[in-house]
Amino acid sequence: MSEPGQPSAKPGPRAVAILGSTGSIGVNALEVCASLPQLSVCGISGRSNLSLLVQQGRAHPSATMIAADAAIAGEFSFPDEMRGRIRIGPESLESLAGDPATEIVLAAIVG
């Protein structure tokens, strides 16, 4: 991960994880990322609006998807084609944020 304010050492777009992508801040952040070729969404997460998370996952097919609340995720039926991309639970948020491939983390979540 690059130091804040420093350019990325790797060529190409910078990998952005948006924790809380289904909330208003996260939705707007995805729009910003879509408009800037120097950013690439590598991860998205949601707690309760998992239908929107699925829509966002379709729009960002290379992004890891995280359903942060295991109880809510257990009651949701994810599309079969997305099952390999979905991680469940709050520890998955920490894992994505700490992944060396993630260069920028936007935490738009409560807590």
Side-chain angles (χ1 to χ4, degrees):
M1 199 176 302
S2 301
E3 291 296 318
Q6 298 299 316
S8 174
K10 78 172 183 83
R14 295 187 74 179
V16 180
I18 301 174
L19 310 182
S21 65
T22 59
S24 61
I25 293 171
V27 167
N28 286 318
L30 283 172
E31 290 178 13
V32 170
C33 288
S35 72
L36 297 172
Q38 63 267 39
L39 299 177
S40 173
V41 177
C42 68
I44 54 178
S45 76
R47 189 184 76 74
S48 59
N49 192 348
L50 300 182
S51 295
L52 179 54
L53 184 66
V54 166
Q55 290 176 13
Q56 292 172 342
R58 287 190 174 119
H60 301 278
S62 63
T64 297
M65 299 167 57
I66 298 172
D69 188 305
I72 294 171
E75 295 180 13
F76 186 80
S77 180
F78 289 98
D80 289 338
E81 72 272 10
M82 293 187 164
R83 292 190 190 273
R85 295 175 50 200
I86 298 171
R87 298 181 192 168
I88 296 175
E91 63 281 350
S92 296
L93 296 171
E94 295 175 24
S95 176
L96 178 62
D99 187 323
T102 302
E103 297 179 273
I104 300 170
V105 178
L106 172 64
I109 56 177
V110 176

